Amino acid sequence: MNEPIKTDVLIIGAGPCGLFAVFELGLLDMKAHLVDILDKIGGQCAELYPEKPIYDIPGVPFTTAHGLVDALMAQIKPFGPTFHLQEMVETIEKVGDPLFRVKTDQGKLFEAKVVLIAAGGGSFQPKRPPIPGIEAYEEKSVFYSVRKMEAFRDQRILIVGGGDSALDWTLNLAPIASHLTLLHRREQFRAAPDSVNKMMALAGEGKIDFVLGQVSALEGEGGRIAKAIVKRNDGSDFHIACDALLPFFGLTMKLGPVADWGIELKDGELIPVDTAAFESSVPGIFAIGDINWYPGKLKLILCGFHEAALAAQKAYHYVFPDKRLVFQYTTSSSSLQKKLGVR
Ligand SMILES: Cc1cc2nc3c(=O)[nH]c(=O)nc-3n(C[C@H](O)[C@H](O)[C@H](O)COP(=O)(O)OP(=O)(O)OC[C@H]3O[C@@H](n4cnc5c(N)ncnc54)[C@H](O)[C@@H]3O)c2cc1C
């Protein structure tokens, strides 16, 4: 069996909350390793909406999801976290008080005094629309997320859906598409009203088409779409010529192995925590970000940042049981500034 990698804290998930936890732990001298199923750092920000704007990060009036991940990486650099990407944490075994042995699907073993679960919604997967044969077009001309907007320049784009992703990508891609159609099955939207108003304005100016109906079939060759057959609500058919189809039918958050870690769950999918330290029902296992639940929980990045700060305070007592924790500001503490490499 492999020798375990020993660390103070093992963070499961390298989304924004897992990344910021490295910073809060690092200020308190705790070293972290992070494991993530994805091949990249940044969680939902990197996988689902890298180029979309974010306006509600405190003190940052505007950034993109990609920009936020880059900034977090710069912020945690002084603490030298180690990333283990494309590995899924499969098991957590309690072997001490507290000491955990954590194993990934690639056979890697960790021994950590504290486990911090920042696993978001687990392994998230886009919902596939019920269109026969759509698999043959996936990742060639059917995409469930937009990694690089430029890849869609001058294309005829068909976006399907009525939620935030469908509306946001309609607004973002309209200026670079040669033609863009938004297709939704009804006139009511789940998206933010402001986005709906902006989309309607574009449609009113003739810059995009907004059409009611549902895709019933695709035609094309070698994975390249030529047209989508659309069924109107009255049952009649027509087609929309397109080069790319972007269906946004929401995500299935597959919790994955989290459910088997012996931690109490709420509704089978969220980890209830206390709001003093964001610790789970198992002492030494913390949960922050989208994966946790407590009364009033909001799935916002800024909430996960706060949770990381408080979890680190309690984690300190498990990692350094004999030490006293002194509260300090980065503004005025020379010892914190040394750790940050700015003094
Ligand atoms: C389109 C869109 C727009 C959004 N806009 C905003 C916004 O403007 N402002 C805002 O505050 N929030 C926004 N959000 C929500 C925000 O992205 C989430 O709240 C945030 O990403 C949660 O961060 P997290 O670190 O908890 O989890 P995530 O970002 O979900 O990251 C969790 C990571 O854990 C990994 N993981 C899961 N299970 C395992 C396992 N067993 N082993 C290893 N790795 C695992 C996953 O692969 C993933 O990378 C938006 C979300 C979407 C989809």
Side-chain angles (χ1 to χ4, degrees):
M1 190 181 272
N2 295 340
E3 266 301 295
I5 298 169
K6 297 195 174 169
T7 178
D8 295 328
V9 182
L10 194 273
I11 300 177
I12 303 171
C17 302
L19 294 180
F20 192 65
V22 172
F23 183 81
E24 291 295 333
L25 294 163
L27 286 180
L28 305 183
D29 295 324
M30 289 175 274
K31 288 268 170 229
H33 282 246
L34 298 95
V35 182
D36 202 299
I37 305 164
L38 296 178
D39 59 358
K40 58 176 89 61
I41 291 162
Q44 294 176 45
C45 294
E47 180 66 14
L48 298 180
Y49 61 107
E51 296 189 35
K52 271 178 69 168
I54 303 185
Y55 300 102
D56 57 354
I57 302 301
V60 183
F62 164 79
T63 185
T64 58
H66 179 67
L68 174 65
V69 174
D70 281 353
L72 286 166
M73 287 299 284
Q75 194 169 22
I76 65 177
K77 195 164 175 236
F79 302 115
T82 310
F83 291 92
H84 306 265
L85 299 179
Q86 291 181 282
E87 302 214 26
M88 179 169 75
V89 169
E90 274 192 337
T91 58
I92 303 179
E93 189 193 348
K94 192 171 187 309
V95 292
D97 202 18
L99 188 68
F100 299 95
R101 190 160 291 172
V102 177
K103 199 169 158 217
T104 72
D105 60 346
Q106 303 299 310
K108 211 173 269 174
L109 260 187
F110 297 89
E111 219 167 74
K113 293 172 195 151
V114 163
V115 173
L116 196 146
I117 303 174
S123 54
F124 41 84
Q125 288 160 4
K127 283 187 195 153
R128 179 181 278 152
I131 304 170
I134 190 168
E135 296 89 339
Y137 296 92
E138 286 171 356
E139 295 304 318
K140 293 187 188 116
S141 54
V142 171
F143 302 93
Y144 298 106
S145 66
V146 176
R147 304 258 169 86
K148 269 253 150 281
M149 275 173 43
E150 271 307 307
F152 297 94
R153 183 171 288 281
D154 299 329
Q155 292 205 353
R156 296 167 302 170
I157 303 172
L158 173 58
I159 293 181
V160 189
D164 280 316
S165 295
L167 270 286
D168 290 354
W169 284 119
T170 296
L171 300 178
N172 286 320
L173 291 171
I176 65 165
S178 71
H179 185 264
L180 191 145
T181 306
L182 173 66
L183 178 72
H184 186 36
R185 66 195 151 84
R186 56 197 182 114
E187 281 180 49
Q188 291 75 34
F189 290 88
R190 279 173 288 112
D194 180 53
S195 308
V196 177
N197 292 341
K198 285 183 179 148
M199 183 279 292
M200 286 297 192
L202 285 181
E205 292 161 22
K207 292 187 174 152
I208 63 164
D209 286 333
F210 168 49
V211 179
L212 289 177
Q214 297 183 60
V215 176
S216 58
L218 299 175
E219 287 183 15
E221 255 185 53
R224 314 271 355 149
I225 292 186
K227 57 183 165 186
I229 312 302
V230 175
K231 204 172 253 320
R232 291 191 188 91
N233 293 343
D234 65 8
S236 62
D237 284 336
F238 68 105
H239 77 259
I240 297 176
C242 58
D243 306 305
L245 169 67
L246 306 179
F248 293 109
F249 282 43
L251 296 170
T252 315
M253 296 291 200
K254 250 186 72 196
L255 188 60
V258 179
D260 308 321
W261 294 341
I263 303 169
E264 186 189 321
L265 294 179
K266 179 175 165 50
D267 302 330
E269 54 185 30
L270 296 169
I271 301 177
V273 288
D274 66 84
T275 49
F278 302 95
E279 196 168 20
S280 73
S281 62
V282 180
I285 300 186
F286 296 79
I288 63 166
D290 282 10
I291 191 79
N292 76 11
W293 180 87
Y294 50 87
K297 167 72 184 181
L298 285 179
K299 289 188 181 182
L300 280 177
I301 294 165
L302 69 92
C303 298
F305 288 174
H306 159 81
E307 295 160 13
L310 267 61
Q313 295 283 316
K314 180 141 189 207
Y316 184 90
H317 297 291
Y318 291 123
V319 175
F320 306 114
D322 303 325
K323 285 196 194 168
R324 197 167 68 88
L325 178 55
V326 181
F327 177 77
Q328 299 176 84
Y329 290 121
T330 54
T331 318
S332 43
S333 157
S334 56
S335 92
L336 290 185
Q337 289 172 4
K338 270 196 201 122
K339 292 176 201 175
L340 291 168
V342 293
R343 181 179 267 263

